[in-house]
Amino acid sequence: MRNPLSRRTFLKSSALAVAALAASSTGAAAAPLFAGPGNEPDDDVKKVLREKFGTRVIREGHVTLDVPDVAPDSREVPLLIESDLPMTADNFVKGFHIVVDHNPDIYLAGFNFTAAIGAATLDTRIKMRRSSHVRVIAETSKGELWTTSRFVYTSLNGCV
Amino acid sequence: MSDVGQGKIILPTKITRDSVINIRALLSHPMLTGMSRDQAGIPIPAYFVNDVVITYGGEQVAHFEWSSGISRDPFVGFSLRADKEAPVTITWKDNKGGVYTQSADIKFGVA
């Protein structure tokens, strides 16, 4: 079931690699420091992003995600999210959205803020079904979307 | 923490006016996804916190929407600009109608 080299996984990752190549050849995606296999979201993830954000452009930058490269316990993967975007009364970070590509609930959580919090930081612990990209999307009060992603390797199914 | 719904808010020990402080909050809750089974093979129904509201002096400052992908005994740390002496209240709601509330008072100039 969880054979890492099953046919489906192999096909999926090759498809992802091709998609990533296509994306990089157009110069759209800046390579993150630790990308893991292919940073490009698959169709399920794209669908979730489309439902949540419509056709708005999601750009890389202005948000950082601190997460272990290898999670020893996939039932409790610590996340620390920070942003250098302004936090003033008329221009602030309205929310952080957490997306985990290979979880049953791809859209894991949304954290909505008001300007009263003073700084956009967030610290929490999540479950992961298997090794996957973890994405964070920061939404500003002006409607801009900024993202970052990290690939996290896990050992056990943490979805209990 | 074994009892469901025991909330805890941790504030910094010393708070100065207009500083941005870090608040940590913890709730005891099993956060079941509904995908696991018990020893007899019967599915365990989903049971998780899906809505968290944070108020400061009666005004809503943050609102979190969760799936069951948040870990058991959900923990969250966030910032708040401490511009008044007022209580911070967190209300957690779960998918079975459980409502859990916890408050902590922000006060300035201790020590």
Side-chain angles (χ1 to χ4, degrees):
Chain A
M1 197 57 186
R2 279 197 282 105
N3 179 355
L5 278 178
S6 72
R7 186 170 178 271
R8 183 174 297 182
T9 314
F10 175 72
L11 287 176
K12 218 172 197 177
S13 51
S14 16
L16 277 173
V18 170
L21 267 178
S24 60
S25 64
T26 58
L33 286 176
F34 189 86
N39 185 24
E40 189 71 7
D42 63 20
D43 286 346
D44 290 342
V45 177
K46 278 185 179 155
K47 188 163 160 260
V48 168
L49 293 175
R50 213 165 33 238
E51 277 168 14
K52 203 74 198 168
F53 306 111
T55 53
R56 291 150 69 191
V57 183
I58 306 176
R59 285 171 290 178
E60 290 212 14
H62 290 300
V63 55
T64 57
L65 169 62
D66 196 354
V67 62
D69 292 337
V70 179
D73 186 347
S74 41
R75 293 170 302 179
E76 293 199 354
V77 184
L79 301 184
L80 175 62
I81 306 165
E82 286 175 311
S83 172
D84 61 359
L85 291 163
M87 212 59 201
T88 56
D90 57 351
N91 186 12
F92 59 94
V93 178
K94 205 169 80 173
F96 286 140
H97 306 272
I98 301 175
V99 170
V100 181
D101 289 18
H102 293 141
N103 265 22
D105 285 317
I106 293 172
Y107 182 80
L108 195 142
F111 296 83
N112 305 302
F113 304 128
T114 62
I117 62 159
T121 64
L122 190 88
D123 205 346
T124 192
R125 295 192 283 250
I126 65 163
K127 298 173 199 168
M128 290 182 68
R129 181 164 64 175
R130 63 182 175 92
S131 301
S132 168
H133 282 288
V134 176
R135 302 170 194 277
V136 176
I137 296 123
E139 185 176 12
T140 70
S141 57
K142 292 185 171 172
E144 290 172 8
L145 298 168
W146 296 96
T147 188
T148 190
S149 75
R150 290 276 301 272
F151 195 83
V152 179
Y153 288 94
T154 64
S155 48
L156 297 163
N157 182 348
C159 285
V160 286
Chain B
M1 299 209 285
S2 54
D3 298 333
V4 171
Q6 292 294 311
K8 192 176 181 187
I9 300 176
I10 305 160
L11 297 176
T13 49
K14 197 176 158 187
I15 302 171
T16 51
R17 185 179 291 272
D18 283 332
S19 60
V20 174
I21 59 168
N22 189 255
I23 297 179
R24 290 176 293 161
L26 199 58
L27 179 77
S28 58
H29 201 285
M31 298 295 284
L32 300 169
T33 58
M35 283 169 209
S36 52
R37 288 162 187 273
D38 65 13
Q39 282 174 333
I42 297 158
I44 304 168
Y47 181 37
F48 59 97
V49 174
N50 52 14
D51 186 284
V52 185
V53 171
I54 297 154
T55 64
Y56 177 35
E59 218 169 287
Q60 183 173 318
V61 293
H63 175 214
F64 304 155
E65 295 157 89
W66 290 353
S67 70
S68 55
I70 298 285
S71 301
R72 178 195 173 94
D73 295 339
F75 165 81
V76 64
F78 56 95
S79 301
L80 183 70
R81 184 178 297 282
D83 57 4
K84 54 182 176 257
E85 291 198 323
V88 171
T89 304
I90 305 184
T91 306
W92 295 266
K93 289 180 189 164
D94 67 32
N95 66 329
K96 289 189 177 174
V99 179
Y100 319 102
T101 303
Q102 189 62 249
S103 286
D105 287 323
I106 289 185
K107 288 196 174 82
F108 300 131
V110 188

